[in-house]
Amino acid sequence: MLHWPNTIAPATRRELISSRTKAALQAKRAQGVQLGKPENLTPEGQRKGGETTRCNALANENNRRAASMITILHQAGWNLTQIAAKLNRAAFRTAKGSQFQATQVMRLANQQANS
């Protein structure tokens, strides 16, 4: 197992790992290796992946709570950017733990409207 010295900052470690990974992938591509799972590259695989992502998003508790707040704020006349800022100030996070952007607010609002 590789142990990182405590003297290397976490950001530096991430950059090192990222650059090594990118270099390794580039070398594989240069060798002609097709990366990814071929079954995910088919239209059926893409449809299935998108469907899984949508189902996971709808089932996520953070998304459901945020969607309720989005509906209330949108009905009160707030725009997407204002809603995203309000969600972030209220410590809401996306399903992946990130802060909200206007795009994610729009997607959740659309999902709420279509469900």
Side-chain angles (χ1 to χ4, degrees):
M1 176 184 276
L2 180 65
H3 294 283
W4 291 94
N6 290 336
T7 58
I8 298 177
T12 305
R13 279 185 270 177
R14 282 192 298 272
E15 290 169 11
L16 283 170
I17 292 168
S18 174
S19 64
R20 281 194 233 149
T21 301
K22 288 177 183 176
L25 290 171
Q26 187 176 15
K28 286 291 187 184
R29 284 188 201 101
Q31 294 171 0
V33 174
Q34 183 177 359
L35 302 173
K37 293 175 66 178
E39 61 267 21
N40 288 343
L41 301 175
T42 65
E44 176 63 21
Q46 291 173 350
R47 184 198 60 73
K48 185 177 178 182
E51 190 175 293
T52 300
T53 300
R54 280 187 294 282
C55 287
N56 289 343
L58 290 172
N60 184 281
E61 178 62 28
N62 291 332
N63 284 353
R64 289 201 309 264
R65 288 180 40 242
S68 297
M69 189 169 205
I70 289 168
T71 300
I72 292 166
L73 295 174
H74 188 64
Q75 289 172 348
W78 291 44
N79 69 37
L80 299 175
T81 304
Q82 292 170 324
I83 295 171
K86 175 71 171 178
L87 291 171
N88 293 330
R89 280 193 307 273
F92 281 86
R93 293 294 176 255
T94 66
K96 293 185 178 181
S98 301
Q99 289 194 335
F100 277 92
Q101 303 292 323
T103 302
Q104 287 121 336
V105 171
M106 180 181 64
R107 288 180 184 149
L108 281 177
N110 289 340
Q111 286 175 357
Q112 187 80 356
N114 294 331
S115 62

